[in-house]
Amino acid sequence: MAEIAHAALSLVCMPSVTGQMLALDGGQHLQWSPAAPSIRPPSDNRTPDGA
């Protein structure tokens, strides 16, 4: 609750805001990493009858 109150007070006291997102997650966003790319086998161009 204190984190939210601190963020709200900061917004009120700032002379301007540029549209920045405030992440109120206790710092979890600092450990974010993108998902690993999926590894797919090469496409199989053969027809269903094996030709």
Side-chain angles (χ1 to χ4, degrees):
M1 188 63 125
E3 186 177 22
I4 295 171
H6 183 44
L9 184 59
S10 296
L11 284 173
V12 171
C13 293
M14 289 181 191
S16 64
V17 180
T18 62
Q20 179 67 28
M21 181 184 82
L22 295 178
L24 302 176
D25 61 2
Q28 279 188 317
H29 70 282
L30 298 173
Q31 296 181 21
W32 177 85
S33 64
S38 61
I39 299 173
R40 293 193 288 173
S43 61
D44 188 354
N45 293 330
R46 292 182 292 165
T47 58
D49 64 353

